[in-house]
Amino acid sequence: MLQAIKNLLPRRLQEQGISTQVEATQVVEALKQEVISRFGLSAVDAFRKVSLRDNTLEVLLTSSALASELRMIESDLASALQVKFGKAYRLRIFA
């Protein structure tokens, strides 16, 4: 029985119990790419910690200025993630 890899891979990840970790990694990287596209490559150095718990992305930054900027475009970032993953994520941004 042949199956498409796009159907097989998510099922295997879930069977192995690592689907949530893979999703978290993808969402974190997508957020970083959105920030890079808006603020440049140097903005990624300001990330201290980014984690995904349930549907909440917790972002800890070393720069309070960048944290303020991200808070101002928080809804845009959340919308971009929703378009990419088809799922709504909430952001909590700390400096």
Side-chain angles (χ1 to χ4, degrees):
M1 173 185 214
L2 293 175
Q3 296 180 6
I5 195 161
K6 71 177 183 177
N7 298 332
L8 183 63
L9 190 56
R11 188 171 49 235
R12 288 289 184 208
L13 292 173
Q14 192 163 8
E15 287 173 3
Q16 297 296 320
I18 59 172
S19 62
T20 55
Q21 293 90 343
V22 171
E23 176 191 2
T25 302
Q26 290 174 333
V27 171
V28 166
E29 287 304 313
L31 174 69
K32 287 182 179 180
Q33 289 302 315
E34 282 294 320
V35 171
I36 287 170
S37 71
R38 295 165 193 249
F39 296 98
L41 191 57
S42 62
V44 110
D45 295 334
F47 283 93
R48 182 178 292 163
K49 177 185 168 192
V50 182
S51 62
L52 178 65
R53 293 184 187 169
D54 297 322
N55 288 344
T56 303
L57 266 168
E58 296 179 351
V59 181
L60 179 61
L61 300 164
T62 59
S63 168
S64 59
L66 182 60
S68 294
E69 291 286 331
L70 291 183
R71 282 187 205 106
M72 287 192 289
I73 63 164
E74 186 175 336
S75 62
D76 293 341
L77 293 172
S79 295
L81 292 174
Q82 185 172 8
V83 166
K84 183 164 179 118
F85 295 102
K87 190 175 182 181
Y89 293 98
R90 183 173 160 241
L91 280 86
R92 296 183 66 204
I93 301 167
F94 306 99

